[in-house]
Amino acid sequence: MDDILGRPRTASDDAGVPRHLADALDRSADDLRHGRVEDARAALARLERRLDDHLARKRATPAEG
């Protein structure tokens, strides 16, 4: 999906947001624009769980030095 300026997204945007995350947020925004509030809510809840799991694994991994 293209960003607001019409440029295609790369693997991560200038803010370092992974493409899959940005795409999920875009889909949720589209759901909201079309009145699909429950769909957006469910998608964002799934995304939140995935992020929580990712951060928990990241914290559990010993830092490389």
Side-chain angles (χ1 to χ4, degrees):
M1 182 174 258
D2 291 344
D3 65 12
I4 294 172
L5 300 176
R7 294 176 303 186
R9 283 213 169 96
T10 56
S12 66
D13 67 14
D14 294 336
V17 177
R19 182 178 184 157
H20 68 278
L21 174 58
D23 288 345
L25 292 172
D26 284 345
R27 284 189 301 274
S28 293
D30 190 53
D31 285 340
L32 290 173
R33 279 192 291 277
H34 291 92
R36 299 184 301 257
V37 176
E38 289 304 317
D39 290 343
R41 184 176 288 140
L44 290 172
R46 283 190 305 272
L47 183 57
E48 183 178 22
R49 285 190 301 271
R50 287 179 59 196
L51 287 171
D52 287 343
D53 290 345
H54 172 75
L55 291 174
R57 284 191 307 272
K58 191 171 183 176
R59 281 186 222 112
T61 304
E64 294 181 24

